[in-house]
Amino acid sequence: MTMTATHFDLDDERADRLAEQRERREAERALTQAFEPVDELPRVRTGYGAKPIPAARLALIDYCRSHPGKWVKYTPTPEQDPVRVGSIGQMIRKQQGGFGSGFESTIRAKIAYIRFTGGAA
């Protein structure tokens, strides 16, 4: 007994080919959509609930970037920046809180000293 392809078999093969083509197109589309060029990076947000970075810290970051290699004493009031002194170093190590790569910190007598040594913006 010889087996012949029925129109059901041909329909199944066609459906399989169409499904493979659809999957390939979707994979190609997903790959091209995975990249999106941007003109400017968004401001870094930090904390639970993505709180905005305090203006005093943004000013510190800008000042440090414009004076690379210089240590800057950072003593904001709690109203200006409610972060604890010990948390500054942790933010810098984790590159959070507005601090990107290239920042260093040290604490002396409960005062944070920060400097920018260079790196990506």
Short mmCIF file of all heavy atoms in Angstrom, two decimals, residues 20-35:
data_model
loop_
_atom_site.label_atom_id
_atom_site.label_comp_id
_atom_site.label_asym_id
_atom_site.label_seq_id
_atom_site.Cartn_x
_atom_site.Cartn_y
_atom_site.Cartn_z
N GLU A 20 6.84 29.06 10.83
CA GLU A 20 8.29 29.29 10.91
C GLU A 20 8.66 30.66 10.36
O GLU A 20 9.49 31.37 10.95
CB GLU A 20 9.03 28.20 10.13
CG GLU A 20 9.02 26.85 10.81
CD GLU A 20 9.66 25.75 9.97
OE1 GLU A 20 10.29 26.08 8.92
OE2 GLU A 20 9.54 24.59 10.34
N GLN A 21 8.04 31.04 9.23
CA GLN A 21 8.31 32.36 8.66
C GLN A 21 7.88 33.47 9.61
O GLN A 21 8.59 34.45 9.81
CB GLN A 21 7.57 32.52 7.32
CG GLN A 21 8.16 31.72 6.19
CD GLN A 21 7.31 31.83 4.92
OE1 GLN A 21 6.19 32.34 4.95
NE2 GLN A 21 7.86 31.33 3.82
N ARG A 22 6.73 33.30 10.24
CA ARG A 22 6.22 34.30 11.18
C ARG A 22 7.15 34.43 12.38
O ARG A 22 7.47 35.53 12.82
CB ARG A 22 4.80 33.91 11.62
CG ARG A 22 4.09 34.96 12.41
CD ARG A 22 2.61 34.65 12.72
NE ARG A 22 2.24 33.25 12.74
CZ ARG A 22 1.56 32.62 11.76
NH1 ARG A 22 1.19 33.27 10.68
NH2 ARG A 22 1.26 31.34 11.87
N GLU A 23 7.62 33.30 12.90
CA GLU A 23 8.55 33.33 14.04
C GLU A 23 9.86 34.02 13.66
O GLU A 23 10.40 34.79 14.45
CB GLU A 23 8.82 31.91 14.53
CG GLU A 23 7.65 31.27 15.25
CD GLU A 23 7.88 29.81 15.59
OE1 GLU A 23 9.01 29.31 15.38
OE2 GLU A 23 6.93 29.17 16.07
N ARG A 24 10.37 33.73 12.44
CA ARG A 24 11.60 34.38 11.99
C ARG A 24 11.42 35.89 11.88
O ARG A 24 12.26 36.67 12.31
CB ARG A 24 12.03 33.81 10.63
CG ARG A 24 13.12 32.78 10.71
CD ARG A 24 13.78 32.51 9.36
NE ARG A 24 12.87 32.40 8.23
CZ ARG A 24 12.24 31.28 7.85
NH1 ARG A 24 12.45 30.16 8.52
NH2 ARG A 24 11.45 31.28 6.80
N ARG A 25 10.29 36.30 11.27
CA ARG A 25 10.03 37.75 11.14
C ARG A 25 9.90 38.41 12.50
O ARG A 25 10.41 39.50 12.72
CB ARG A 25 8.76 37.97 10.32
CG ARG A 25 8.97 37.86 8.83
CD ARG A 25 7.79 38.43 8.04
NE ARG A 25 6.52 37.82 8.38
CZ ARG A 25 5.97 36.77 7.78
NH1 ARG A 25 6.60 36.20 6.77
NH2 ARG A 25 4.81 36.29 8.17
N GLU A 26 9.21 37.76 13.44
CA GLU A 26 9.04 38.33 14.78
C GLU A 26 10.39 38.43 15.49
O GLU A 26 10.66 39.42 16.18
CB GLU A 26 8.06 37.49 15.59
CG GLU A 26 6.62 37.65 15.14
CD GLU A 26 5.66 36.71 15.86
OE1 GLU A 26 6.11 35.97 16.76
OE2 GLU A 26 4.47 36.72 15.51
N ALA A 27 11.24 37.41 15.32
CA ALA A 27 12.57 37.45 15.96
C ALA A 27 13.40 38.57 15.36
O ALA A 27 14.09 39.30 16.09
CB ALA A 27 13.27 36.11 15.78
N GLU A 28 13.36 38.74 14.04
CA GLU A 28 14.10 39.83 13.39
C GLU A 28 13.57 41.18 13.83
O GLU A 28 14.34 42.10 14.11
CB GLU A 28 14.01 39.70 11.87
CG GLU A 28 14.79 38.54 11.30
CD GLU A 28 14.51 38.30 9.82
OE1 GLU A 28 13.73 39.06 9.22
OE2 GLU A 28 15.10 37.35 9.27
N ARG A 29 12.25 41.31 13.92
CA ARG A 29 11.64 42.56 14.35
C ARG A 29 12.02 42.88 15.80
O ARG A 29 12.35 44.01 16.13
CB ARG A 29 10.12 42.48 14.20
CG ARG A 29 9.42 43.82 14.32
CD ARG A 29 7.92 43.74 14.05
NE ARG A 29 7.60 42.99 12.85
CZ ARG A 29 6.81 41.92 12.82
NH1 ARG A 29 6.25 41.48 13.93
NH2 ARG A 29 6.55 41.29 11.69
N ALA A 30 12.01 41.85 16.64
CA ALA A 30 12.37 42.06 18.06
C ALA A 30 13.82 42.49 18.17
O ALA A 30 14.16 43.35 18.99
CB ALA A 30 12.13 40.79 18.85
N LEU A 31 14.69 41.93 17.35
CA LEU A 31 16.11 42.30 17.40
C LEU A 31 16.31 43.75 16.98
O LEU A 31 17.04 44.48 17.63
CB LEU A 31 16.93 41.36 16.50
CG LEU A 31 18.43 41.61 16.50
CD1 LEU A 31 19.00 41.44 17.90
CD2 LEU A 31 19.10 40.67 15.53
N THR A 32 15.64 44.18 15.93
CA THR A 32 15.81 45.56 15.49
C THR A 32 15.16 46.54 16.45
O THR A 32 15.60 47.67 16.59
CB THR A 32 15.26 45.78 14.07
OG1 THR A 32 13.88 45.43 14.06
CG2 THR A 32 16.01 44.96 13.04
N GLN A 33 14.11 46.10 17.16
CA GLN A 33 13.45 46.99 18.12
C GLN A 33 14.18 47.02 19.45
O GLN A 33 13.90 47.86 20.29
CB GLN A 33 12.00 46.54 18.33
CG GLN A 33 11.14 46.78 17.11
CD GLN A 33 9.74 46.22 17.30
OE1 GLN A 33 9.45 45.56 18.28
NE2 GLN A 33 8.88 46.49 16.34
N ALA A 34 15.13 46.11 19.66
CA ALA A 34 15.86 46.07 20.92
C ALA A 34 16.82 47.25 21.05
O ALA A 34 17.22 47.59 22.15
CB ALA A 34 16.64 44.76 21.04
N PHE A 35 17.16 47.89 19.95
CA PHE A 35 18.09 49.01 19.97
C PHE A 35 17.35 50.29 19.61
O PHE A 35 16.63 50.33 18.62
CB PHE A 35 19.23 48.79 18.97
CG PHE A 35 19.96 47.50 19.22
CD1 PHE A 35 19.77 46.42 18.37
CD2 PHE A 35 20.80 47.35 20.28
CE1 PHE A 35 20.43 45.23 18.59
CE2 PHE A 35 21.46 46.17 20.52
CZ PHE A 35 21.28 45.10 19.67
#
